[in-house]
Amino acid sequence: MALIEALIAVVVFLITYVLIVDERINRAVAAMAGAAVLVFLGIVPWENLLEYVDFGTIFLLMGMMIIVNVASNSGLFEYLAIITAKAAKGSPIMVLVLFSCVTAVTSAFLDNVTTVLLMTPMLLYIAKVMDLNPIPFLLAEVLSSNVGGMATLIGDPPNIMIASAAGLTFNEFLMTMGPIAIVDLLVILVIFYVIYGRKMKVDDTGKAAIKKTIDALDERAAIQDTVLFKKSIIALAIVIMLFFMHNNIGEILHTFLPFVDPSMTLEPAEVALIGAALILFWSRKSPEVIFEKVEWTALFFFGGLFILVGGLVETGVINDLALMMTSSLTSTGEAMFVIAWFSAIASAIVDNIPLTAALIPLIQDIGINAPNIDIYPLWWALSLGACLGGNGTAIAASANVVVLGIAEREGIKITFFDFLKIGMLVLVVTVAIGLGMLYIMF
């Protein structure tokens, strides 16, 4: 009976996975349908259902979606794009470098899809003004977005899931993955300079003409609501500050407020929800309008996915896989290598979110079954592979699909193989460098 239940759990998981990759039906519908089958058949008992749903991940995403939706109404992100373009002073290669850096930094604190949605139209406009091929700019933008997302706990959904499962803090993520993201971003910019640098060169006359056109853009005109603009900056600053302090917030507050328990901490999801409540209350924006823009399909997708993985855990499939893996691994270094490259290559082919959801309990079981392997470095190897794997192909990350979709609407064709050529090169180089840095750290 146990074997049959395990087989059913695996078959339902694989069918759902195929439906998610295929994208002919909404992935949230596919995940919810798969979860419903497992619950209906009793493979995931109803009374255990909530154990498998990671509400830390769901509430963190929900809070950040609310904050970004309110802030985007102020014109903050368009303002940022214009001053970035002006800082390049008419040099196309500087536009690519600065936009890549701004995209990476923004992606570290907002989700990648939101970042590229806000940046791409402005980048296309700037490329048009410069009369240059926009494809290198768009590719650099999306690759930088995935690298930047790796740097923080809130930058990419796999990081949110890993942090929630492993109890990792915002500062741990920043201190471990931040340096890797910076080095990898610099390497990507060098790769782009070598490949596209010559094609982007313009003479002094051309540079002056581009500068004159860009200088004519008025960043102040991009601000749609001055009061909301200022409130958004303050609210975002408070949220980021709380993320930095969330693990020792009690210790800090106890200095000024002795009645506060110094051992008090805040979960990242609590910080996001506090920030969402603050910006909603302060901005006086209609909650109905803002809530309508929350990506509920993404949240339901996560909910269904957690239950699907719960089915694999409940039936012992994950534990068996961990045992198979640990029987062939003899050291933490070997395990890091396998986890990083497997998750990177697999994430280039399939969505990194369900992949991360499946690998998290696997790593937890490795910790139980193989006492000689330290699983702490494995979490970072998983983050590295899952986030950078998104650069491998045009369909590997949601941000890639969004940017290519916007480009196509503008008549700019970036084929799967156009993306693959640069994406796989970047994937291999950045994962190798990142893994090398992790070996040095651990």
Side-chain angles (χ1 to χ4, degrees), residues 32-79:
M32 294 297 290
V37 170
L38 293 184
V39 174
F40 177 75
L41 295 175
I43 292 173
V44 176
W46 177 254
E47 58 271 19
N48 295 349
L49 194 69
L50 296 183
E51 280 180 26
Y52 294 116
V53 178
D54 186 346
F55 287 102
T57 296
I58 289 178
F59 285 133
L60 176 54
L61 285 169
M62 188 193 296
M64 292 308 293
M65 286 173 186
I66 291 170
I67 293 168
V68 170
N69 280 326
V70 175
S72 65
N73 286 332
S74 69
L76 172 63
F77 303 108
E78 290 83 352
Y79 175 89

Side-chain angles (χ1 to χ4, degrees), residues 359-375:
L359 288 179
I360 283 173
L362 189 73
I363 292 177
Q364 288 168 332
D365 276 9
I366 288 175
I368 296 168
N369 297 316
N372 60 318
I373 294 177
D374 178 9
I375 65 166

Side-chain angles (χ1 to χ4, degrees), residues 335-345 381-382 384-386 431 435 438:
M336 286 170 68
F337 183 88
V338 171
I339 295 283
W341 282 110
F342 173 75
S343 54
I345 301 299
L382 175 58
L384 181 83
V431 172
L435 191 55
L438 284 179

Side-chain angles (χ1 to χ4, degrees), residues 3 9 77-78 81 97 110 124 135 163 178 182 194 210 344 414-415 429:
L3 180 63
F77 303 108
E78 290 83 352
V97 170
L110 306 178
L124 284 172
I135 292 177
I182 291 170
V194 170
I210 291 170
I414 304 175
T415 67
V429 174

Side-chain angles (χ1 to χ4, degrees), residues 194-343:
V194 170
I195 296 176
Y196 298 107
R198 286 183 185 172
K199 297 174 186 171
M200 290 185 179
K201 283 188 178 169
V202 291
D203 56 26
D204 289 343
T205 309
K207 198 181 285 185
I210 291 170
K211 184 174 183 305
K212 187 179 177 185
T213 308
I214 292 178
D215 283 348
L217 297 173
D218 185 0
E219 64 271 24
R220 287 167 300 182
I223 300 172
Q224 298 161 24
D225 183 332
T226 307
V227 176
L228 181 61
F229 180 83
K230 293 175 182 172
K231 288 179 178 177
S232 298
I233 292 174
I234 295 170
L236 281 169
I238 291 172
V239 169
I240 291 168
M241 187 180 68
L242 284 176
F243 274 124
F244 277 111
M245 303 190 311
H246 76 95
N247 206 38
N248 54 355
I249 186 83
E251 206 176 309
I252 294 166
L253 290 178
H254 185 73
T255 311
F256 309 100
L257 306 167
F259 57 85
V260 175
D261 183 353
S263 64
M264 186 183 92
T265 58
L266 284 176
E267 291 296 320
E270 290 179 87
V271 173
L273 290 178
I274 289 169
L278 170 69
I279 201 165
L280 275 174
F281 180 79
W282 201 17
S283 68
R284 301 290 180 186
K285 286 285 173 187
S286 164
E288 287 83 0
V289 173
I290 299 300
F291 290 161
E292 277 180 10
K293 294 178 182 174
V294 170
E295 294 170 46
W296 295 107
T297 49
L299 300 181
F300 278 101
F301 168 64
F302 274 99
L305 203 58
F306 287 135
I307 296 168
L308 278 167
V309 175
L312 298 179
V313 174
E314 186 78 26
T315 54
V317 174
I318 293 289
N319 187 50
D320 291 343
L321 282 173
L323 283 172
M324 280 171 57
M325 187 175 277
T326 51
S327 65
S328 59
L329 297 174
T330 57
S331 68
T332 303
E334 275 185 27
M336 286 170 68
F337 183 88
V338 171
I339 295 283
W341 282 110
F342 173 75
S343 54

Side-chain angles (χ1 to χ4, degrees), residues 126-207:
I126 304 284
K128 189 177 177 184
V129 166
M130 294 187 296
D131 195 24
L132 286 172
N133 179 5
I135 292 177
F137 296 96
L138 295 175
L139 291 175
E141 179 202 16
V142 76
L143 297 178
S144 303
S145 163
N146 291 326
V147 170
M150 178 180 68
T152 67
L153 186 155
I154 55 173
D156 214 354
N159 283 2
I160 296 171
M161 297 163 73
I162 292 166
S164 183
L168 303 174
T169 67
F170 185 86
N171 288 344
E172 281 178 288
F173 255 99
L174 194 63
M175 297 305 291
T176 307
M177 302 309 285
I180 296 174
I182 291 170
V183 172
D184 277 347
L185 178 62
L186 291 173
V187 170
I188 289 174
L189 293 175
V190 170
I191 290 173
F192 269 79
Y193 184 76
V194 170
I195 296 176
Y196 298 107
R198 286 183 185 172
K199 297 174 186 171
M200 290 185 179
K201 283 188 178 169
V202 291
D203 56 26
D204 289 343
T205 309
K207 198 181 285 185

